[in-house]
Amino acid sequence: MAVEKTKTKENGKGPELNPFTIAQAQLDEAAEQLQLDEATHQLLRLPLRELHVTLPVKMDDGTTKVFQGFRVQYNDARGPTKGGLRFHFDETIDTVRALAAWMTWKCAVVDIPLGGGKGGIVCDPREMSQGELERLSRAYIRQVGRIIGLEKDVPAPDVYTTPQIMAWMMDEYSFIKGNNEFGVITGKPLPLGGSAGRGDATARGGIYTLREWGKVTGFDLKGATGAIQGYGNAGTFAHQLAEDLLGMKIVAVSDSRGGIYNPDGLKYDEVFKHKQDTRRVADFPGSKPVTNEEILELDVDVIFPSALENVITEENAGNIKAKVSAELANGPTTPEADKILHEKGVYVIPDFLCNAGGVTVSYFEMVQNAYDYYWEEDMVHDRLDKKMTAAFHAVHETAEKYGVHKRLAAYMVAIDRVAEAVKLRGWV
Ligand code: GLU
């Protein structure tokens, strides 16, 4: 029997790049600006609950592997906790805690009645068969099933988790409960209670905020250039929608195996097909190779960090030439980098605002599951647009009013709302 190796500290990167330390430091800065009382501040610095689970899974070769998983319910003052589930070889409890905190602020900034949570399993899904992934998914639900549910905590897809994985998890949970429970998880396939418009919702929401940035700054995005780091769900749809909705020209994209650059533009349809055929963007005909580091420093109007945490640090922030960074990933920019970007005049559309479209449509999915009646795609887009547009302007106006950088402004808007709920409940 092999035991899957886990790292629970800081990925060997030192505490300054520990995502939870960063999330707490960001909260501290906002608490000071808001003059938040000490008790509320302390309460919001820590998760309310977390569950660590051990998952024995039968592998295709007949051995049993033991995996480690987590579910963190960070804060549910505004409603049931909500947030994705990551399958990642580098997963740590501190990363999950940070992501759960960011989900709390994300749901508050778009003003949906949900708290924040997150889950993770330490595994490398790229090395696992479909059967192994299914058994791992079901094993996870057999453990965390006792703490999730439509009224408690609702998982969703995230890095390396898919609608198919959501379907297996919903199925396992339904068997435990003895009846169909579509609302226990979101991001499901359409025939199993999924919502129209959930697939591209994260990218679409980010594109709506970028459109609003164009309006407030007077910058014409038609023909503007962009570079996308990360070519998963958010990155691929950002490519498509930047072209279709804004008329932008994406000149560079990358995935975990490297990137491609063509100053004349890379067409979404062609790159997506190449990625489907070869499982990578590299070697796309007519393009030059570019690394994941270089892609963020290209001379483009917009960068879309759409992969993982801590890719914009004090080391490279000074080299960024873009006018705006639309953060589709969670946690791509460290606090030191935020200050540098602010001083340089790079407009950051902060992660938990920019990528809030996913959870917003997840919330719509929960609502549809609860009353078992499904909306047209146009209605989803329209309601998503209203939420994202209102959130963008709330953050932009707070930044202007207090003269603070955009992430701090987003924190101020979100924390104010969570703190109000905490107080009204009588927790502090
Ligand atoms: N995993 C996505 C996020 O980080 C979506 C979460 C959800 O839909 O609950 O926002």
Side-chain angles (χ1 to χ4, degrees), residues 49-51 70-76 79-84 100 103 114-119 140-141 144-156 173 183-186 366:
R49 289 178 290 279
E50 55 187 47
L51 185 65
F70 315 105
R71 185 75 191 167
V72 175
Q73 299 178 339
Y74 197 85
N75 190 288
D76 55 8
T81 48
K82 182 83 190 85
M103 284 309 304
L114 297 171
K118 203 82 174 195
Y140 182 76
I141 291 303
V144 303
R146 64 200 71 200
I147 63 159
I148 62 173
L150 179 61
E151 274 143 22
K152 292 187 201 165
D153 180 17
V154 181
Y173 186 80
V184 68
I185 204 158
T186 60
M366 288 168 67

Side-chain angles (χ1 to χ4, degrees), residues 91-114:
E91 197 60 286
T92 69
I93 182 61
D94 272 348
T95 310
V96 181
R97 286 176 180 140
L99 290 160
W102 289 327
M103 284 309 304
T104 310
W105 321 138
K106 191 180 301 190
C107 293
V109 88
V110 280
D111 204 10
I112 53 178
L114 297 171

